[in-house]
Amino acid sequence: MTDQLEPRQGGSPAIQQSSGAPEERRSNPIKDTLAPIAGFGVTFKTMLTKTVTEQYPEDKRPTEPRYHGRHVLNRHADGLEKCIGCELCAWACPADAIYVEGADNTEEARFSPGERFGAVYQINYLRCIFCGLCIEACPTRALTMSNEYELADDSRADLIYTKDQLLAPLQPGMEAPPHPMRLGDDEKAYYAPKGSGQ
Amino acid sequence: MGIEEKIPDGVLLTTVAKVLNIARKNSVWPAQFGLACCAIEMMAVGGPRFDIARFGMERFSASPRQADLMIVAGRVSQKMAPVLRQIYDQMSEPKWVLAMGVCASSGGMFNNYAIVQGVDHIVPVDMYLPGCPPRPEMLLDAILKLHDKIRTGPITGKLGITQIDDSPYEKPIERDTRTSKSLPVDVEIAPYANAAPLPGEDR
C-alpha cells in the first residue's frame, strides 16, 4: 500500500520545479486597488450594451421563412383542395403521425380536381417531429408548413389536428368545396389556364 | 394544506383563491428533468435571451422539494420511469407537470419497447408541448398557458390529483367542427416552403 501512495520517481521537470516552496506574493497597492474594478469591467461593459432578452409574449420575433411549423393543406385558386388522398405523406412520416383516408370525387360532390380526395386527414402533433418529409413526399404540394409554432395544449385528443383545422383559410375568390372545377373543364385547362405560358 | 380543503370552492374563499392563484402562478419554480435534446432548449430558456426569470421562475431547482413544476424534457426510457415518478412524489404540492417535446408527450418517433409512450402513463400531465425539440418560444408559450390554467384553477390547486387517468392512448377522432381551432387568416403561409420544384414549374 505505501508503495502506491509514494510519488513516482522521475516526473517531468516542470512538476519537480513547482513542488518547491511557493514564491511569496509581492503586494502592489495600486494593482490591489484596481483589481476589483478590473473584475467588474465585464459587468460595467455589459451595462452599456443592448439587452439581448427577447420580450417573447409581447414582442414575437418572426421565425425564419422556411421554419417548420404546423402544417397547412393548401387549396387551388378556386377553393378546391389540392390533397388527392394518396397517403404518401403518411408513408413518408417517420413517426407515423399522419392518418389519411382517401375517397372518390363524384359529380355531385367534388372536393379536389382529380379522381380522389382526402376524406379524412389527421396529424397527431404529439408524434410529429416537424421533419418535413411529408412535404417532400407530397406530389401535389397540398401539404406545406406554416410558421405557426404555438401548439401547446393540455389534452392529447386536442393535439390531433383534423382536416378542418389543417385546411388553409379561404382567400378572396375561393369557394368552399364541394363545387365543380371552376378553373377549366378538363385537367389541362384546369392546371394550366390560358395565359400561364405552359 | 389547510381550511380550503374542507370548504367547497366558491363559497367563502373566492377572493382568497384568486389572490392565492396569482401568487402561485407568479412563482412556479421548475424542477429540471432534462433527459435529452429538449433539455438544450430548456437551458436556452434559462439563459439571457429568453430569460425564464421574467415569469417568476427564477432558477431550475435541482432539488424536487423546492420545485412546483416538473418539466420533463426528453424521452423517458422504461428504466427512467420509476425514477421520474419518485422525483414527482418528492415534490411538494401543489405541483404541475409539463411534458416538453413529442417524446415526453407521446413517445414521438420512438415507438418501441424502450421508451415510455408518453409520461402521462407515469405522472399526470398538465400541459403537452409538441415539437422536436420545441423552440424556446414554444416552451415559454406552454408555460404561459400553464400559468393561465393555474390562475383560473381551484384554490386547492391540483391537491390530491397525483394519479394518472385511464390510459390516454391516442386514436383517430371524430371532431366537432364548430369548436375546432382553424388557422387564423392572417397567418403568413409560405406556400412552397420546404418543397422541391415540380417538373416544369417556374419558381
Side-chain angles (χ1 to χ4, degrees), chain A residues 53-55 66-67 122 124-128 135 141 144 149-150 152-154 156 160 162 164-165, chain B residues 48-49 54 102 106 108 117 120 126 128 130 135 138 145 170 172-173 175 180-181 191-192 194 196 201:
Chain A
T53 308
E54 292 180 11
Q55 303 296 323
R66 292 167 71 94
Y67 176 73
Q122 295 178 2
N124 183 356
Y125 278 104
L126 286 184
R127 291 272 179 195
C128 173
I135 275 77
R141 199 155 298 144
T144 53
Y149 52 80
E150 290 165 342
D153 208 320
D154 59 355
R156 264 177 105 142
I160 301 174
T162 46
D164 54 299
Q165 292 167 292
Chain B
R49 186 171 158 198
R54 290 184 292 136
V102 290
S106 75
Q117 297 298 302
D120 45 12
D126 296 284
Y128 298 92
R135 57 193 284 128
M138 291 171 84
K145 281 174 179 164
E170 65 262 44
I173 50 166
R175 186 183 298 281
S180 62
K181 318 154 279 189
Y192 298 147
N194 315 314
E201 187 192 42

Side-chain angles (χ1 to χ4, degrees), chain A:
Chain A
M1 285 299 286
T2 49
D3 293 346
Q4 290 173 0
L5 291 174
E6 276 175 326
R8 279 192 193 165
Q9 299 295 317
S12 69
I15 293 172
Q16 283 180 346
Q17 278 177 7
S18 67
S19 64
E23 200 178 323
E24 199 179 322
R25 188 174 166 276
R26 285 181 207 152
S27 71
N28 184 338
I30 299 168
K31 232 179 177 177
D32 287 355
T33 317
L34 291 177
I37 296 170
F40 274 116
V42 176
T43 313
F44 291 137
K45 211 161 64 185
T46 313
M47 280 176 175
L48 301 174
T49 56
K50 208 177 155 211
T51 310
V52 295
T53 308
E54 292 180 11
Q55 303 296 323
Y56 161 67
E58 293 87 23
D59 172 29
K60 291 177 186 172
R61 303 262 177 99
T63 60
E64 294 298 316
R66 292 167 71 94
Y67 176 73
H68 287 200
R70 62 164 279 192
H71 299 79
V72 180
L73 280 173
N74 295 309
R75 297 174 188 271
H76 286 290
D78 60 352
L80 286 180
E81 295 157 12
K82 286 187 178 179
C83 178
I84 54 171
C86 67
E87 302 183 22
L88 280 179
C89 46
W91 280 71
C93 183
D96 283 344
I98 307 181
Y99 177 74
V100 188
E101 269 179 30
D104 284 333
N105 281 316
T106 57
E107 286 307 314
E108 296 82 45
R110 172 171 290 284
F111 290 88
S112 73
E115 281 179 27
R116 306 263 292 164
F117 74 103
V120 178
Y121 201 99
Q122 295 178 2
I123 296 182
N124 183 356
Y125 278 104
L126 286 184
R127 291 272 179 195
C128 173
I129 58 168
F130 299 92
C131 60
L133 288 180
C134 44
I135 275 77
E136 286 182 27
C138 185
T140 61
R141 199 155 298 144
L143 192 64
T144 53
M145 280 168 149
S146 70
N147 290 350
E148 196 186 282
Y149 52 80
E150 290 165 342
L151 294 169
D153 208 320
D154 59 355
S155 147
R156 264 177 105 142
D158 284 350
L159 276 161
I160 301 174
Y161 278 52
T162 46
K163 190 178 162 187
D164 54 299
Q165 292 167 292
L166 293 165
L167 269 175
L170 288 165
Q171 300 294 337
M174 288 182 178
E175 188 186 338
H179 62 74
M181 291 156 68
R182 305 277 192 228
L183 301 181
D185 293 331
D186 59 341
E187 285 184 10
K188 193 171 180 185
Y190 188 91
Y191 291 117
K194 279 175 188 170
S196 70
Q198 289 186 21

Side-chain angles (χ1 to χ4, degrees), chain B residues 48-125:
Chain B
R49 186 171 158 198
F50 297 100
D51 194 13
I52 205 173
R54 290 184 292 136
F55 307 105
M57 310 172 88
E58 289 307 324
R59 57 112 174 84
F60 281 91
S61 173
S63 65
R65 295 192 199 283
Q66 278 85 38
D68 306 300
L69 167 67
M70 179 191 249
I71 300 179
V72 185
R75 75 282 179 280
V76 180
S77 60
Q78 300 281 1
K79 208 153 191 178
M80 192 50 125
V83 182
L84 187 136
R85 178 70 209 195
Q86 191 176 6
I87 299 280
Y88 177 78
D89 286 339
Q90 286 172 347
M91 287 165 63
S92 51
E93 293 193 31
K95 51 191 171 184
W96 294 272
V97 178
L98 196 156
M100 179 183 179
V102 290
C103 300
S105 299
S106 75
M109 67 180 295
F110 301 114
N111 192 356
N112 58 35
Y113 63 87
I115 303 295
V116 175
Q117 297 298 302
V119 286
D120 45 12
H121 291 278
I122 313 163
V123 291
V125 176

